[in-house]
Amino acid sequence: MFRNYRVKNFNYLLVACIFAISIIGILVIGSANESYQNRQIIGMIIGIVVMVAVALIDYDFVLQFYWLFYGLVIVLLGIVLIAGHASHGAVRWIDLGVIRFQPSEIAKIFLVLFFAFYLSKYADEINEIRRLGYLAVLAGLPLLLIMKEPDLSTTVVTFLIIATMVFYSGLSYKIVIPAVVGGFVTVVVILIVLTHGGSSVLEGYQNYRILAWLYPDEYPKYSYQQQNAIMAIGSGILFGKGLNTDSIESVKNGNYISEPQTDFIFAVAGEETGFIGSLIIIGLLIAITLLCLKTAKKAKDLAGELICVGMASLIGYQAFVNICVVTGLFPNTGLTLPFMSYGLTSLVTLYFGMGFVLNVSLQAKKY
């Protein structure tokens, strides 16, 4: 089992970056809401154990169960819609009493594994209409189930992850360019229809979030969170107000940011660690993304490359969207910041996915 492993190829720098941003996240969560800090520490410990265990399991063996992963995704997302736990107007959780978890977070990792094997298996057929039709159905079903929760932000990020993996596997530019143009036109049309008072394919609260993003003064009920987050980040100036600050001028201490330990953790980090701290966080997320892509270049096969590209896409897209939301560049979406935001499901599944990247690095091809 370990005959192809080369310890010298183990990606220690990637592990260091993951540990660094996780620890920063724990510190900022403790400042945002101390009652969640110990749980996040437990999540990190569990995540490390899972990551190390997965790193030692040959991904070639794991990928043989790719249809099982896909089936679990459909079953778990289906259970959410039938008997899921509602929170903040959406049904995204399965509550078993002892444990509560979010299947869409697990789904992202399992879909990366599924499509890594599926795309590597049919890479020669990737530009055929028949194969593209199969891909559309296989991707569309879980995306539709996530959308029904409703969870538009996770749907979009998951779509981008799958689309990036498909493109990397050899999809022709003749297909990619029209698809990108069509998607852009669709978004523009929705925004035009929405801003002119027309109906929209989105949920009611999603419409208001977009309108609040475009016209914050006219929709204060939906825009206050982003506006306060921007104020918090700006108030941190260069070096911030310090972690666990008791300043009465703190936006966080004034409870102007609801649930600061989750979706808007970057606002707390910006206020308390300043521009320098924010740059370090962004730099670590970029480093993790690039190190996954670097590992992909050295992978022994296409399946390994796609695992790394999928995880790089997950970290990169999700971090980009979250930070854009908190800084007011995108409408509010309710998406967590990887390794930083509170959430045991998110944290442990990210470590789970990174374990596969590390396993790919251990089996890197010789040069």
Side-chain angles (χ1 to χ4, degrees), residues 58-217:
D58 191 339
Y59 70 87
D60 285 331
F61 170 75
V62 175
L63 292 183
Q64 298 304 310
F65 303 95
Y66 70 116
W67 279 115
L68 175 62
F69 298 141
Y70 187 82
L72 285 172
V73 168
I74 301 305
V75 169
L76 289 173
L77 292 176
I79 291 174
V80 169
L81 296 181
I82 296 171
H85 176 77
S87 179
H88 300 292
V91 183
R92 302 174 184 173
W93 302 85
I94 292 178
D95 194 340
L96 301 177
V98 179
I99 183 173
R100 191 179 79 149
F101 63 96
Q102 192 170 353
S104 59
E105 295 294 334
I106 301 171
K108 283 183 283 191
I109 308 297
F110 279 177
L111 287 174
V112 166
L113 297 176
F114 171 78
F115 282 104
F117 189 86
Y118 187 88
L119 291 169
S120 65
K121 185 176 180 180
Y122 298 106
D124 294 338
E125 305 174 14
I126 196 66
N127 290 299
E128 296 179 5
I129 298 298
R130 178 176 61 92
R131 187 57 57 191
L132 289 173
Y134 291 155
L135 282 170
V137 173
L138 289 170
L141 182 54
L143 291 174
L144 179 62
L145 292 173
I146 297 172
M147 174 74 84
K148 285 289 186 180
E149 294 183 1
D151 192 346
L152 179 61
S153 55
T154 300
T155 304
V156 171
V157 168
T158 305
F159 168 77
L160 290 173
I161 294 168
I162 297 171
T164 302
M165 293 176 71
V166 173
F167 172 71
Y168 186 87
S169 65
L171 189 65
S172 171
Y173 281 98
K174 294 179 181 179
I175 300 173
V176 173
I177 294 175
V180 171
V181 172
F184 177 77
V185 171
T186 301
V187 171
V188 171
V189 170
I190 291 175
L191 288 175
I192 292 174
V193 171
L194 183 60
T195 53
H196 285 78
S199 59
S200 173
V201 296
L202 304 177
E203 297 287 334
Y205 77 94
Q206 293 168 343
N207 293 336
Y208 283 118
R209 282 182 174 181
I210 294 174
L211 289 171
W213 171 61
L214 295 170
Y215 312 108
D217 294 336

Side-chain angles (χ1 to χ4, degrees), residues 294-311:
K294 184 178 180 181
T295 303
K297 290 179 64 178
K298 298 179 180 180
K300 67 178 182 179
D301 55 22
L302 182 57
E305 291 179 47
L306 287 168
I307 288 174
C308 297
V309 168
M311 288 307 302

